[in-house]
Structures are given as C-alpha cells and as structure tokens.
C-alpha cells in the first residue's frame, strides 16, 4: 500500500516538473510583480509602514496653564504618541512647515482658551488638515471630532452651572466666585481627560511594513493561481477515464487525490521557498520571527489552496469551465481578501465581507506569525487550514467517486 502511494506521489511530481514552460512562468511572474512593487515603494519614498505616526504642529496662542495642560495630556500619553507626533512652535514657522508638507495637520489654540469656555465666547480651536494622505487625514479628523464632543460636554456643564446659580437668585459676586472655581475645575478635567480612561489595546490586524505585506499578499494570491493547474490536470485525467482505470486496478481514488494533494503541495512549496530566498537576498524583506512556524503556515496554506482547486475540479467537466470560474473566484478573492487593497486600509464594511474569503485569513494568520504579536492565532490557523484541506479533499473524493 505504501509503495503504491509513493509511486503515485512521484508520478504526479514528475508530471508537474515536466511542464517546463509553465513552471518558468509560475516562477518568474510573481517575482517580477513583487520586485516591481518593491521598487515602486523604494523609488517613490512611500511610507514603509501602514501605521506611521501623524505629524502635528501646534500653535499655542493662549500659552496658559490650561492650554499647556491640554498639550501635555497628549504628549505624555504613550497610547496617543504611538501614532501622533506633536511639535509646538510659532505661527509662521508651523504654517510654513505645513505648506511644505512636513506636518499632516495644524492645531491652533486661541488666546484665552479656558476663559472662553467659562464665559461662553465662541473662540474655537482651529484645525487645518492635509488630505494628501487621506488615511491620515481621516484618522486625525476622527480624533479631533471625538475631542470636540468631549469639550462640548464640558461647555454644557459650565452653562448648566451658571443657569442653576441664576435660578437660585445668587448675587453676581457669588456667581462669579463659584463660576470661576468650579468652571476651572471642569476645564482642567477636560484637558486632563486621559487619566479617566483605561487603555486596552485591541489588535485585529497586526501592523507590518509595506514590503512585508505585499510579499505575503502576492504569495497567497499566487498560491491560489498555481493551484488551478492541479484542477486542470485532474479534469484532463477525468476526460481520459483515468479514474475508471483506478477503480479497475483497485487503487483508492481518495489515496490518489491525497497523493496529488501532497505532490502538488511539495512542488509549490519548493517554488515559494526559492522566491523567499531570492527576495530576502535582493530586498530588505525582514520576515524573521517564528521562521519554523511560518514554514508550516505556508505549507498549510498551500494544502488549503490545492484542496480548493481539487474540489472545484470535481464540480466541472471541462477545463475551460474550471479556468473561467477559478480565475473569477481568485480575482475576487484577491481584491476583497487583501492581496490588492491592504487589509489595514479596508473600510469596515469591506472587511466584514472579506472574512468569507480564504485569502483574508491566509494573510491575517501570516501577519500574526510575522509580527510575533500573538503566535497562538497563527498556530490555530495552521490547524484549521489542514483540517479544511482534508475535508475538501474528502468532498472531492465523494464527487469523483460518483462521476468517475
């Protein structure tokens, strides 16, 4: 039995190696695409990380205890400064640097910032945002709008306090005394609001550099594309009545499909390994963490991709049909699943759709292992992919057994 299995394994492997022109294309095309993307990021000086800090220039016209407390509340908060750099300077200096593109936004604090809140004078903090990078612009806009809502609640509290003191028929002197004392406390509460919140980091998609991300994304996309050839080979074998001959020779179709799965996985893994070595030597790719787990992870992804292709092949009778359907599926999977639009940049609505694609989970699991943020997630994905590939292979066996 073992001899038969390994005979089938090496037979399938030899057939894969024999397709020289196809193998040259499979080997060179992904390398060319990745190197093009790498050179683009290098020559255009695009930010290497998808989560680079936002540079903000602050003009403090108030220069009081309260405006300083407002700035220090953010400068001293590590969870805030991880993604925002604050620089305080003079108006002309900051605005000139903003015009030169050195700052992503400007915050101008008006004179008598705290007093304006107390006396109900409309002197808002002015904000200018550079939308050359729409992601940074949108992120900063959301941060400032959340703070605007917080300041508004403080202003409402000051107004309610004043109205209540008037209703109580307090004298102007008493109103002024209490208003100054309590309102300043409210203002100090607003500028030091970070001390009231507990910071819990939630990481859904680990951060990575653009070079690392697109290397991972291209690998996952081409794993799916290369796997199509396994499906095409199976359909042609079905047309040549190979499965009928297997039944006559009493060779299990399931065993044959497993040998096909493993030989294709081994062949594709060798190609991916060579990609990895060449790109690691020629670029600044730095996937070093958990290298052993990453190798296992890539193998599990190949198993899943090949088993998907085998299952698709069991649903069609002609190779033209499988080529058409597979290409549409993989193309949509690449767009929605993160191979073209990075997962980090996807809007929430698109990310919710992406969870139904295998590409999304293949990239996400690799990012967890590469970042070493939560290794256990990557290990769980390995197990799920292996179980999924076995299940898809068995479903393919049931189909081929029925139609073979």
């Amino acid at each position: 039995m073992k001899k038969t299995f390994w005979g089938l394994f090496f037979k399938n492997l030899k057939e894969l190696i024999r397709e020289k022109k196809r193998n040259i294309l499979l080997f060179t095309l992904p390398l060319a695409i990745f190197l093009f993307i790498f050179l683009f990021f290098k020559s255009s000086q695009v930010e290497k990380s998808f989560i680079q800090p936002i540079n903000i220039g602050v003009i403090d016209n108030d220069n009081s205890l309260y405006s300083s407390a407002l700035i220090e509340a953010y400068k001293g908060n590590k969870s805030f400064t991880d993604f925002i750099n604050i620089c305080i300077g003079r108006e002309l200096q900051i605005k000139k640097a903003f015009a030169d593109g050195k700052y992503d936004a400007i915050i101008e604090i008006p004179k008598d910032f705290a007093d304006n809140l107390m006396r109900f004078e409309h002197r808002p903090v002015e904000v200018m945002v550079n939308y050359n990078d729409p992601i940074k612009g949108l992120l900063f806009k959301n941060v400032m709008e959340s703070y605007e809502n917080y300041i508004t609640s403080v202003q409402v509290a000051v107004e309610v306090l004043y109205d209540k003191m008037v209703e109580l028929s307090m004298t102007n002197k008493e109103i002024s005394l209490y208003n100054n004392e309590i309102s300043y406390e409210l203002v100090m509460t607003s500028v030091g609001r970070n001390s009231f919140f507990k910071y819990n980091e939630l990481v859904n998609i680990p951060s990575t550099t653009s070079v690392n991300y697109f290397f991972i994304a291209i690998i996952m996309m081409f794993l799916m594309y290369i796997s199509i050839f396994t499906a095409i080979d199976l359909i042609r074998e079905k047309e040549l009545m190979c499965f009928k001959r297997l039944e006559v020779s009493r060779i299990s179709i399931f065993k044959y499909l497993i040998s096909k799965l493993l030989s294709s996985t081994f062949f594709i893994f060798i190609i991916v390994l060579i990609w990895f070595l060449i790109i690691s030597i020629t670029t600044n790719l730095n996937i070093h963490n958990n290298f052993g787990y990453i190798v296992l992870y890539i193998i599990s992804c190949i198993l899943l991709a090949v088993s998907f292709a085998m299952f698709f092949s069991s649903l069609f009778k002609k190779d033209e049909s499988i080529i058409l359907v597979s290409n549409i599926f993989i193309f949509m999977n690449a767009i929605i699943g993160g191979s073209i639009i990075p997962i980090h940049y996807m809007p929430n609505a698109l990310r919710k759709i992406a969870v139904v694609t295998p590409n999304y989970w293949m990239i996400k699991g690799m990012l967890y292992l590469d970042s070493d943020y939560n290794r256990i997630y990557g290990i769980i994905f390995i197990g799920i992919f292996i179980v999924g590939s076995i299940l898809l292979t068995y479903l393919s066996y049931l189909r081929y057994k029925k139609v073979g």
Side-chain angles (χ1 to χ4, degrees):
M1 184 179 291
K2 286 184 179 179
K3 189 175 180 181
T4 304
F5 175 82
W6 288 112
L8 293 171
F9 176 88
F10 287 113
K11 169 191 168 293
N12 290 321
L13 191 59
K14 286 176 184 177
E15 288 177 355
L16 289 169
I17 295 171
R18 224 177 349 241
E19 298 287 341
K20 293 180 181 178
K21 291 182 181 178
R22 186 174 77 182
N23 294 338
I24 291 171
L25 180 65
L26 294 178
F27 178 76
T28 56
L29 185 59
L31 276 178
I33 292 174
F34 176 80
L35 290 173
F36 171 79
I37 292 173
F38 171 75
L39 292 172
F40 166 76
F41 279 106
K42 188 175 180 180
S43 62
S44 63
Q45 296 182 338
V46 176
E47 295 289 352
K48 290 183 179 180
S49 174
F50 291 118
I51 307 179
Q52 280 289 335
I54 300 172
N55 296 311
I56 298 174
V58 177
I59 304 166
D60 186 4
N61 294 321
D62 190 27
N63 200 24
S64 66
L65 171 67
Y66 306 102
S67 62
S68 298
L70 171 64
I71 296 166
E72 287 302 320
Y74 284 107
K75 288 183 70 175
N77 185 353
K78 188 178 183 303
S79 61
F80 187 81
T81 54
D82 276 346
F83 65 95
I84 291 185
N85 291 330
I86 296 175
C87 180
I88 305 168
R90 296 179 180 179
E91 183 175 358
L92 290 176
Q93 175 192 2
I94 294 291
K95 288 188 175 179
K96 183 180 183 304
F98 178 75
D100 294 339
K102 294 180 181 178
Y103 292 116
D104 300 299
I106 293 177
I107 299 175
E108 186 170 356
I109 301 174
K111 188 173 177 56
D112 300 325
F113 168 68
D115 289 338
N116 292 336
L117 283 175
M118 291 173 48
R119 308 189 195 291
F120 321 135
E121 295 179 11
H122 186 66
R123 291 290 305 279
V125 172
E126 294 187 6
V127 178
M128 295 175 65
V129 181
N130 182 352
Y131 281 99
N132 286 339
D133 187 334
I135 300 300
K136 284 186 176 182
L138 183 61
L139 177 60
F140 181 69
K141 177 175 176 288
N142 291 337
V143 168
M144 293 308 297
E145 284 182 351
S146 69
Y147 194 77
E148 177 190 4
N149 293 333
Y150 195 85
I151 291 292
T152 302
S153 68
V154 173
Q155 186 175 1
V156 169
V158 172
E159 293 174 359
V160 169
L161 170 67
Y162 183 85
D163 292 341
K164 285 296 179 183
M165 288 191 291
V166 171
E167 286 179 14
L168 293 172
S169 301
M170 295 175 68
T171 64
N172 289 336
K173 185 177 180 180
E174 288 174 321
I175 290 174
S176 179
L177 179 65
Y178 281 109
N179 187 51
N180 285 347
E181 183 177 348
I182 298 174
S183 295
Y184 274 119
E185 286 293 329
L186 287 169
V187 172
M188 286 300 294
T189 299
S190 71
V191 298
R193 71 190 183 104
N194 293 319
S195 60
F196 285 86
F197 298 95
K198 184 178 179 181
Y199 176 68
N200 290 314
E201 184 180 16
L202 297 176
V203 178
N204 185 33
I205 307 292
S207 176
T208 188
T209 63
S210 55
V211 171
N212 280 19
Y213 183 88
F214 280 110
F215 175 69
I216 293 168
I218 288 170
I219 280 182
M220 298 310 167
M221 180 174 68
F222 273 95
L223 290 184
M224 304 293 284
Y225 273 114
I226 295 174
S227 300
I228 295 178
F229 292 104
T230 303
I232 294 170
D233 291 341
L234 281 171
I235 286 186
R236 287 174 180 171
E237 288 172 1
K238 184 166 61 174
E239 289 176 348
L240 295 171
M241 309 295 287
C242 290
F243 291 97
K244 289 289 186 184
R245 291 199 291 272
L246 287 173
E247 287 182 345
V248 172
S249 58
R250 296 186 179 180
I251 296 175
S252 168
I253 294 176
F254 183 70
K255 186 194 298 182
Y256 180 77
L257 292 176
I258 289 290
S259 71
K260 196 85 172 176
L261 173 68
L262 295 181
S263 59
S264 297
T265 299
F266 177 78
F267 179 73
I268 295 171
F269 175 72
I270 295 300
I271 292 177
V272 172
L273 187 61
I274 297 172
W275 290 346
F276 190 95
L277 292 174
I278 291 174
I279 292 171
S280 296
I281 293 168
T282 57
T283 71
N284 59 346
L285 182 73
N286 56 0
I287 298 179
H288 304 132
N289 296 320
N290 301 316
F291 185 76
Y293 285 110
I294 285 176
V295 169
L296 289 174
Y297 188 82
I298 291 174
I299 291 172
S300 69
C301 290
I302 298 171
L303 284 169
L304 184 67
V306 174
S307 59
F308 252 115
M310 289 168 56
F311 178 69
F312 272 126
S313 71
S314 69
L315 302 176
F316 300 96
K317 295 181 178 180
K318 298 288 184 182
D319 53 5
E320 294 88 349
S321 302
I322 192 69
I323 291 171
L324 177 62
V325 173
S326 296
N327 276 294
I328 292 172
F329 172 77
I330 295 169
F331 180 69
M332 296 302 298
N333 184 57
I335 293 175
I336 300 172
S339 283
I340 297 175
I341 305 171
I343 297 172
H344 304 81
Y345 283 0
M346 283 184 181
N348 287 332
L350 185 57
R351 199 178 291 178
K352 288 176 182 177
I353 300 172
V355 298
V356 302
T357 65
N359 217 58
Y360 172 85
W361 297 106
M362 289 160 76
I363 293 173
K364 187 173 180 179
M366 187 76 163
L367 290 176
Y368 273 113
L369 287 175
D370 175 40
S371 65
D372 202 22
Y373 176 77
N374 199 333
R375 187 189 306 170
I376 191 65
Y377 283 179
I379 296 170
I380 290 170
F381 287 168
I382 290 172
I384 292 172
F385 292 165
I386 291 173
V387 171
S389 65
I390 294 171
L391 178 61
L392 286 167
T393 304
Y394 185 72
L395 291 174
S396 304
Y397 157 70
L398 295 178
R399 287 285 306 170
Y400 275 111
K401 188 179 180 181
K402 187 183 294 184
V403 300

